[in-house]
Amino acid sequence: MKVPDAVNVLNKKTQGLSDALKKARIRDYKLVADNYSVDVNRIYQNGTASDNGYVARQSLRIITSVTNEDLQKIVVAIQESGDMSYNLHFGIAEVTRKSLENTLLTEALKDAEARAMLIGNTLAIRGLRVFSVTMEPNYRPQPMYLNAKVAMAESADMLIETDDQTLTKKVYVKYTY
């Protein structure tokens, strides 16, 4: 294929997915395209390379909430929109993650303060105060992937349920007196 042909094929696939999502009447989602590229389709045979037109690629992300009751409809829409491989990724929204990290840090520091008071009172140490607070580098929870390139017959009965996600952060408090 020539570059315009490769781009047109990709655009038709993307439009097909968009139409399938609309046809399924899926609520509360956002379709995002990124990592767009057009590359030479290089074929290697018998130790030699030959260029055989171009291939256009991009990543499409469908962003929705895990409580969206339309997750199964989204999978069906992807399957019906054409020959695409896909992964389902469940993660914590950035705004939610930041809010939870702030709450965790606040609770950790309150706990550290209470323990410092307990240590100081128990050991009769006056002037016990926080010397430094450090946190481990930003921890990103590992996303949960479901590799969903399966045969249509197998995936027709697939039920999608998300597990709970865990967010952890270590806070280190050093005291001095």
Side-chain angles (χ1 to χ4, degrees):
M1 282 191 260
K2 296 182 185 317
V3 171
D5 297 332
V7 170
N8 285 336
V9 168
L10 181 63
N11 288 340
K12 284 180 185 174
K13 280 188 172 188
T14 303
Q15 188 61 50
L17 176 58
S18 177
D19 292 344
L21 292 169
K22 288 176 187 169
K23 181 181 172 186
R25 293 189 173 115
I26 296 168
R27 297 164 285 148
D28 189 32
Y29 76 94
K30 184 166 66 169
L31 180 62
V32 178
D34 56 12
N35 296 321
Y36 175 83
S37 68
V38 178
D39 302 307
V40 173
N41 186 22
R42 187 159 289 142
I43 299 173
Y44 293 93
Q45 289 181 325
N46 301 326
T48 61
S50 63
D51 294 345
N52 187 14
Y54 293 88
V55 177
R57 293 180 179 88
Q58 70 183 355
S59 297
L60 296 173
R61 293 183 293 140
I62 301 169
I63 301 170
T64 189
S65 68
V66 295
T67 57
N68 190 334
E69 296 170 358
D70 294 331
L71 287 175
Q72 186 68 31
K73 288 182 189 176
I74 290 171
V75 170
V76 171
I78 292 169
Q79 292 169 344
E80 290 177 352
S81 68
D83 181 25
M84 293 185 192
S85 62
Y86 59 96
N87 288 318
L88 297 178
H89 166 94
F90 300 98
I92 299 172
E94 191 68 22
V95 171
T96 303
R97 185 186 59 77
K98 285 182 181 179
S99 173
L100 290 171
E101 283 181 352
N102 288 342
T103 301
L104 288 171
L105 179 58
T106 301
E107 293 301 316
L109 292 174
K110 285 180 183 177
D111 183 58
E113 181 181 38
R115 289 176 186 244
M117 295 293 286
L118 176 64
I119 292 168
N121 291 338
T122 303
L123 299 176
I125 300 173
R126 291 198 171 102
L128 186 64
R129 64 185 190 283
V130 173
F131 175 71
S132 71
V133 177
T134 56
M135 292 183 293
E136 68 180 11
N138 279 340
Y139 170 75
R140 297 284 238 184
Q142 291 299 318
M144 182 179 71
Y145 286 102
L146 171 62
N147 190 347
K149 184 167 182 153
V150 292
M152 289 288 276
E154 292 175 9
S155 61
D157 298 329
M158 180 174 65
L159 294 176
I160 300 173
E161 289 186 26
T162 58
D163 289 334
D164 290 336
Q165 301 261 333
T166 303
L167 183 67
T168 59
K169 191 89 158 178
K170 290 188 180 181
V171 178
Y172 302 95
V173 181
K174 293 181 182 177
Y175 303 97
T176 187
Y177 58 94

